[in-house]
Amino acid sequence: MKISVELTLTPLQNDFEPAIIHFIKKLRSSNLKVLENPLSTQVYGDYDEVMQLLNAEIKETFQLIDKGLLYMKIVKSDRYDYEPHF
């Protein structure tokens, strides 16, 4: 089953950039499709692969920060090639 996941990591501390950069670089180094924009990062792929990666990387990132939020949206389909038609 293919999924699309949108992630927004928000460390609640002053020195927040290193944790975000680390998280994104770890996602990029996977074999999954990863897209980034200034507000979020999207990961696309097989459910088990995506969730296994996210489980490990979210845990590692949370260990690097004192406090933080992670917003996650999951869509049951691969929306990687989505283009609006309007």
Side-chain angles (χ1 to χ4, degrees):
M1 162 183 20
K2 298 292 183 183
I3 62 171
S4 303
V5 180
E6 180 181 60
L7 304 154
T8 302
L9 175 62
T10 308
L12 301 174
Q13 58 192 52
N14 290 330
D15 188 25
F16 60 88
E17 286 183 350
I20 293 172
I21 291 168
H22 176 80
F23 183 64
I24 292 172
K25 284 184 174 183
K26 295 292 285 222
L27 296 178
R28 282 181 187 166
S29 69
S30 72
N31 293 326
L32 299 170
K33 295 181 275 186
V34 177
L35 294 178
E36 303 153 29
N37 66 53
L39 299 175
S40 65
T41 302
Q42 295 87 39
V43 182
Y44 306 88
D46 180 71
Y47 179 90
D48 290 329
E49 289 180 65
V50 172
M51 297 309 286
Q52 182 178 9
L53 171 70
L54 292 179
N55 186 47
E57 298 312 327
I58 291 168
K59 182 177 182 177
E60 183 176 319
T61 300
F62 278 1
Q63 291 171 337
L64 296 174
I65 62 177
D66 293 325
K67 296 177 184 156
L69 302 170
L70 179 77
Y71 299 96
M72 183 180 343
K73 297 179 204 172
I74 303 173
V75 178
K76 185 185 170 194
S77 70
D78 187 334
R79 306 294 290 170
Y80 181 79
D81 294 325
Y82 171 78
E83 292 183 28
H85 299 289
F86 53 86

